[in-house]
Amino acid sequence: MAKLLIIDDERAIRSTLREILEYENYDVEDIDNGIDGLEMIKKSNFDLVLCDIKMNKMDGMEVLEQAQIIKPDLPFIMISGHGTVETAIEASKKGAFDFISKPPDLNRLLITVRNGLDRGNLVTETKVLKRKVSKTREILGASESISKIKETIERVAPTEARVLITGANGSGKELVARWLHEKSNRADSPLIEVNCAAIPSELIESELFGHEKGSFTSAVKQRIGKFELANGGTLFLDEIGDMSLSAQAKVLRALQEHKISRVGGEKEIEVNVRVLAATNKDLLKEIEDGNFRMDLYHRLNVINIHVPHLTERTDDIPVIAQNFLESICNDYGMPIKKINDGGMAALQALPWTGNVRELHNMIERLIILSDKVITENDVRAFANPGGGTNIGAATSTQIAGLAGSGLSSTFDSFNNFQDYKDHAEKEFIKFKLEKNNWNVSKTADEIDIQRSHLYSKIEKFGLKRADTP
Ligand SMILES: Nc1ncnc2c1ncn2[C@@H]1O[C@H](COP(=O)(O)OP(=O)(O)OP(=O)(O)O)[C@@H](O)[C@H]1O
């Protein structure tokens, strides 16, 4: 039964409304002033409020305004004996659902209340649905390549085909995987993600297939692996190019036989899982170098979706940037800022080494640091300090300065480019980790790479906190 509150300082009006509404089976409470009315709104869950405009202690418009802060979705119907068009407009501008005049017309009152309640339900339902899909952001962009990707998703999602999603970091591979799952017949079952780069190679098999208690030193209790957890649904193997060869052999067997066994277990367990995989590596090159199994590659690569680099689809930047701008401003609860034409053109000209993820971070930075209108100067000034977007920022004088500052002897100690790059990368990561007290998430955010990548770099360079043995 819907719960209604009447706020009106005229006793006769309160009892008339109450009688009519209770007759229609609504649960009604009433109060003669706005201050107590607001207290009641705070404490109880009303579905709708009917509120007089002209009241002594607190004006109805003020009640409406304050109620909107406490319960922004609560529908308000304003009542007035002085029903003028102006008042109605003012009330609806402030967020009232509708307006009725005194003395209330029975039919109009009932229809307005019913509509108000319907609207309230719709708002709640929409919020619930939005929350449900919130992890799957719309794939923005209308470029030819993005339109083709969307078309392929529609076509391939409802099938059981395995899909290998390729593309650079932050280009949207995971988003594509999410949509393949959402639009599949498995959408009601789980989508389980495994970031193969984030898991040390000795633990990946246990992560994927689970383990029996006591199967290795730290296996203190039985563990269910991701293949089993994804049963009936989809398993997304992200960064598959970083998976160890022994784990690859086991994944291959699971794909061929639809069976797995837990580490240290004898039993074979049947699994019904659709596998999607993603990588930023060139798997054919990895095969050539002996790091990836050819047979697994063919199993995974039934359909290939390649997500191009953002610089190959700069036409999409305005639409993505505008969407990010609105959603971030909304999240911060601030008025939506604007990007002027110069600012947008400057965004389109950046190198976007971190792709759409970097664009998102950049827009967030611009919202925080710029004034109402984001200009070309703002884009230049706040281009990513940690990533590669600041290309051109180091002047020739600065470079000359570096050469004269003793760095030239450092350069000299490296014979090849790769060694120097590794050294520079290692020192940079070490510096940032130490600066952030080895908070990996914070460091990953600051230097604009995925946490999983940071973990694999830490492993690759054998980095350790100064205080660990
Ligand atoms: N076309 C797009 N429209 C809207 N948002 C996008 C789009 N492409 C990517 N994003 C957003 O950019 C961020 C990075 O995307 P995602 O995680 O899918 O990239 P990825 O290629 O899987 O990255 P990585 O290789 O680093 O794991 C996410 O927040 C994602 O929602």
Side-chain angles (χ1 to χ4, degrees), residues 12-41:
I13 294 285
R14 287 202 311 274
S15 43
T16 312
L17 289 173
R18 195 175 178 133
E19 227 176 270
I20 299 169
L21 294 166
E22 280 181 340
Y23 186 75
E24 293 293 317
N25 273 331
Y26 292 116
D27 175 6
V28 186
E29 284 190 47
D30 65 68
I31 186 77
D32 62 1
N33 71 85
I35 295 172
D36 292 336
L38 279 171
E39 274 312 305
M40 292 169 81
I41 290 171

Side-chain angles (χ1 to χ4, degrees), residues 137-141 146 167-176 195 236 238-239 280 313 320 324 356-357 360 450 453:
R137 190 202 292 268
E138 188 193 345
I139 299 181
L140 300 165
I146 289 295
N169 285 344
S171 57
K173 300 185 293 299
E174 184 188 327
L175 192 59
V176 168
N195 191 320
F236 174 45
D238 200 2
E239 317 283 2
N280 54 17
R313 46 185 162 114
I320 301 178
F324 287 171
V356 186
R357 181 179 296 113
H360 188 273
Q450 269 224 330
H453 282 140

Side-chain angles (χ1 to χ4, degrees), residues 385-387 423-433 443 447:
H423 170 79
E425 209 175 311
K426 181 179 169 186
E427 291 305 313
F428 174 72
I429 289 174
K430 200 164 115 193
F431 172 82
K432 292 289 184 183
L433 281 166
T443 310
I447 64 178

Side-chain angles (χ1 to χ4, degrees), residues 109-126:
L109 169 73
L110 292 179
I111 290 170
T112 312
V113 166
R114 206 170 307 137
N115 288 345
L117 288 170
D118 283 348
R119 208 275 314 243
N121 288 339
L122 273 179
V123 170
T124 317
E125 267 172 35
T126 313

Side-chain angles (χ1 to χ4, degrees), residues 212-275:
E212 296 297 349
K213 185 176 169 183
S215 53
F216 50 93
T217 328
S218 56
V220 285
K221 54 181 182 185
Q222 187 199 53
R223 178 179 190 184
I224 304 295
K226 304 283 188 190
F227 262 91
E228 274 183 81
L229 288 174
N231 201 10
T234 308
L235 180 67
F236 174 45
L237 299 175
D238 200 2
E239 317 283 2
I240 185 97
D242 292 275
M243 189 183 272
S244 68
L245 281 163
S246 73
Q248 287 176 35
K250 298 206 168 169
V251 169
L252 180 69
R253 182 172 162 257
L255 297 185
Q256 281 166 337
E257 299 172 15
H258 305 287
K259 280 182 196 147
I260 55 126
S261 357
R262 298 189 191 130
V263 175
E266 308 269 287
K267 211 169 60 173
E268 295 208 308
I269 302 159
E270 287 217 14
V271 282
N272 164 17
V273 167
R274 181 187 191 188
V275 172

Side-chain angles (χ1 to χ4, degrees), residues 60 76 162 206 218 223 230 253 303 319 390 392 422 457 465:
F76 254 71
R162 288 184 206 112
S206 138
S218 56
R223 178 179 190 184
R253 182 172 162 257
I303 305 283
V319 94
N390 222 3
D422 283 349
K457 297 278 180 203
R465 282 185 89 119

Side-chain angles (χ1 to χ4, degrees), residues 176-217:
V176 168
R178 287 190 170 281
W179 277 111
L180 283 166
H181 174 73
E182 292 280 334
K183 291 188 173 261
S184 77
N185 304 326
R186 294 171 176 263
D188 289 336
S189 300
L191 166 70
I192 302 288
E193 292 183 50
V194 185
N195 191 320
C196 306
I199 304 162
S201 51
E202 63 278 12
L203 292 182
I204 185 98
E205 288 173 34
S206 138
E207 185 79 17
L208 291 175
F209 307 109
H211 61 239
E212 296 297 349
K213 185 176 169 183
S215 53
F216 50 93
T217 328

